[in-house]
Amino acid sequence: MKKESSIKDFCFFIILLFALQIIFMFIMRSSTPLSQEGGAMEIGSTSRRSALSLPSTQSQEDLQHKNQSKEDTNPIVCEQSNQIYDCCSLNSPSIFDPKRSTFFTINSYHPPNSPPTTVKIRPYPRKWEPVTMSFINEITLTTTPLDSSCEIYHDAPALVFSVSGFTGNFFHEFNDGIIPLFITINTLFDDQDVTLVVTNFRDWWYSKYNTLLAQFTKHHLLNLDNQTVTHCFPQVAVGLISHGPMTIDPTRLPSPKSFLDFRAKLASAYDKCHASLPPPLIKGKPRLIFMSRTGRVGRVILNEKNIIRAAKELGFDVVVYRPTKYTPLCESYRVISTGHAMMGVHGAALTHSLFLRPSAVLGQVVPLGTEWLADTYFKKLAVDGMKFEYLEYMIKPEESSLAEKYGRNHVMVRKVKETIAGMNWSTFDTIYVKGQDVRLDMKRFRGYLKIAYLKAKRFMEENG
């Protein structure tokens, strides 16, 4: 009987072990993260995690090993000495807590007896303007550990930036946004995918630029402002790098790239986009895209109709273009890229010259007092960046509406450099930028148009 009882006990023990193994396998399978459920923005490269900070025990061990191999390195590295921008990188896996707008490191190494590192940054490249920067959401990076699980995991590093500031002005959308985005990706994430993470998010901005943003990443953009769950990233960069006004300096990039590479990205985005077709070209006539300004915006050409008539008489096929804040970029690109020349008064609309083909003709009319603006922004872009045939028409005092307003011999008309030297921006902007229109001397300007026509015709014959 004892022998029979021992056999029964042994069999019961074997059955119990087998049952425990099955239960253990079931538990392990049930704890494996499932694909993302509804309710989150991210698609494709992200997945929801319920128990762990990282997607799997193996991933967590790999990341711990990676961090331990950098024990002597602070995971937060910042460039805050530049006058234009601040940019910080968190070179460690991290969790974003939306309640505190903070990125926390995961298992980062802390030297003995040293406090955690914490950095606060406003990710917009106009740091010399405190009023502008006060509207930019502040983002915190810290090596302080976060006692919280990761709910959404991203495979690609995060690049965080703001679209507040002067967003809404076409020039600033490129100068302070899209161009620095191109520079930053090619500086910090060269040949690497990235997740674009935006604060101060604006729906209209995303609708306007989503086709172009797709050229920078294959991942869906993350709106940081409406998040309610934690996000994990393998690496984070906060802030955009700027090389200066309308500048891409190839020597400052790991793999040298220029405005011609930037223009190629624009072409990739918009060459085949859906938009109404531009007017057909007229055989033998170079196309002039005339950027028209209307209303009480300043720097309006008061005799615009005479200028357009003169351009047509010289042989130009003239397309008068008046884009608005809501004009689709696909439409603008399709119209402007057909042009052999562009002409207009200094202003944000000339940013559309980025859509011209390289080596085309760009003509800029420069009102009184705006020479330094014209040189800094569009002349530099034309000559150094896009390799345009650049023409500049500097108006004379009698061609400015300021001569009518103040008198031809007034100091603000005859001694402009001396006058603006002591002005603050607000006064300068009121008088010379928004308070001045131009009436061009037809005889003098016709000679300028003739030079533009000859250059544009040559470009047409060489490039179609």
Side-chain angles (χ1 to χ4, degrees), residues 243-434:
H243 289 171
M246 298 300 279
T247 300
I248 298 175
D249 185 350
T251 65
R252 295 169 63 181
L253 296 173
S255 300
K257 289 184 174 64
S258 69
F259 257 114
L260 299 182
D261 297 289
F262 180 78
R263 173 59 172 71
K265 194 168 286 290
L266 296 177
S268 296
Y270 298 122
D271 264 345
K272 297 181 180 179
C273 62
H274 297 290
S276 56
L277 294 175
L281 293 168
I282 300 175
K283 186 176 181 180
K285 288 181 175 289
R287 170 162 289 176
L288 171 65
I289 309 296
F290 188 88
M291 304 304 292
S292 175
R293 297 175 67 88
T294 59
R296 297 181 179 180
V297 296
R299 290 154 291 144
V300 172
I301 298 179
L302 299 175
N303 56 342
E304 178 181 288
K305 291 182 179 179
N306 295 337
I307 299 299
I308 294 171
R309 187 183 305 114
K312 290 179 177 179
E313 289 172 355
L314 283 169
F316 272 119
D317 165 27
V318 181
V319 174
V320 180
Y321 199 55
R322 300 186 182 98
T324 70
K325 174 181 176 180
Y326 303 102
T327 300
L329 291 186
C330 180
E331 175 188 307
S332 294
Y333 179 89
R334 292 291 290 273
V335 171
I336 294 167
S337 63
T338 65
H340 305 100
M342 174 185 285
M343 191 170 293
V345 181
H346 171 79
L350 289 187
T351 309
H352 289 87
S353 62
L354 288 167
F355 297 161
L356 281 175
R357 289 171 287 173
S359 300
V361 180
L362 176 64
Q364 180 174 205
V365 176
V366 184
L368 294 183
T370 63
E371 295 88 344
W372 64 279
L373 291 172
D375 288 352
T376 302
Y377 301 132
F378 300 116
K379 181 179 180 179
K380 187 175 183 180
L381 168 66
V383 176
D384 298 335
M386 296 291 288
K387 311 302 179 186
F388 291 144
E389 287 280 357
Y390 178 71
L391 297 173
E392 193 170 77
Y393 183 86
M394 307 283 291
I395 74 164
K396 292 184 176 181
E398 53 269 21
E399 293 175 281
S400 171
S401 63
L402 296 179
E404 298 176 12
K405 186 174 183 179
Y406 297 104
R408 293 188 179 187
N409 295 319
H410 195 281
V411 65
M412 288 194 296
V413 177
R414 291 296 175 183
K415 295 185 178 181
V416 177
K417 288 185 179 180
E418 294 87 339
T419 302
I420 66 175
M423 282 185 176
N424 59 35
W425 170 259
S426 179
T427 304
F428 172 80
D429 184 56
T430 300
I431 296 172
Y432 290 100
V433 178
K434 296 176 181 175

Side-chain angles (χ1 to χ4, degrees), residues 4-146:
E4 184 176 322
S5 176
S6 298
I7 293 173
K8 288 181 178 180
D9 291 344
F10 177 76
C11 291
F12 176 76
F13 178 73
I14 295 298
I15 293 170
L16 180 62
L17 283 176
F18 182 73
L20 288 171
Q21 185 176 9
I22 292 174
I23 292 170
F24 178 75
M25 291 174 65
F26 178 79
I27 292 173
M28 291 298 291
R29 182 174 182 181
S30 299
S31 65
T32 302
L34 299 175
S35 60
Q36 178 189 332
E37 300 173 0
M41 281 186 60
E42 297 68 39
I43 301 173
S45 67
T46 59
S47 56
R48 186 176 290 275
R49 310 294 179 183
S50 58
L52 300 175
S53 297
L54 296 168
S56 69
T57 302
Q58 182 178 2
S59 297
Q60 187 169 2
E61 291 173 352
D62 291 343
L63 292 168
Q64 285 176 335
H65 176 73
K66 178 180 179 181
N67 289 331
Q68 290 169 359
S69 67
K70 297 183 177 181
E71 290 186 352
D72 297 326
T73 304
N74 190 327
I76 299 178
V77 178
C78 290
E79 168 55 82
Q80 294 179 296
S81 62
N82 194 281
Q83 294 181 347
I84 300 175
Y85 67 88
D86 287 334
C87 184
C88 292
S89 295
L90 207 165
N91 299 311
S92 165
S94 63
I95 300 179
F96 176 73
D97 179 6
K99 296 179 182 179
R100 287 175 276 188
S101 294
T102 300
F103 287 91
F104 295 83
T105 56
I106 298 174
N107 303 318
S108 63
Y109 172 77
H110 294 283
N113 302 320
S114 66
T117 301
T118 298
V119 177
K120 295 182 181 293
I121 183 172
R122 297 182 189 273
Y124 189 72
R126 295 187 76 85
K127 63 182 284 188
W128 74 93
E129 295 181 345
V131 174
T132 301
M133 297 302 289
S134 69
F135 293 98
I136 310 301
N137 289 342
E138 189 173 67
I139 306 296
T140 302
L141 294 83
T142 182
T143 58
T144 303
L146 176 66

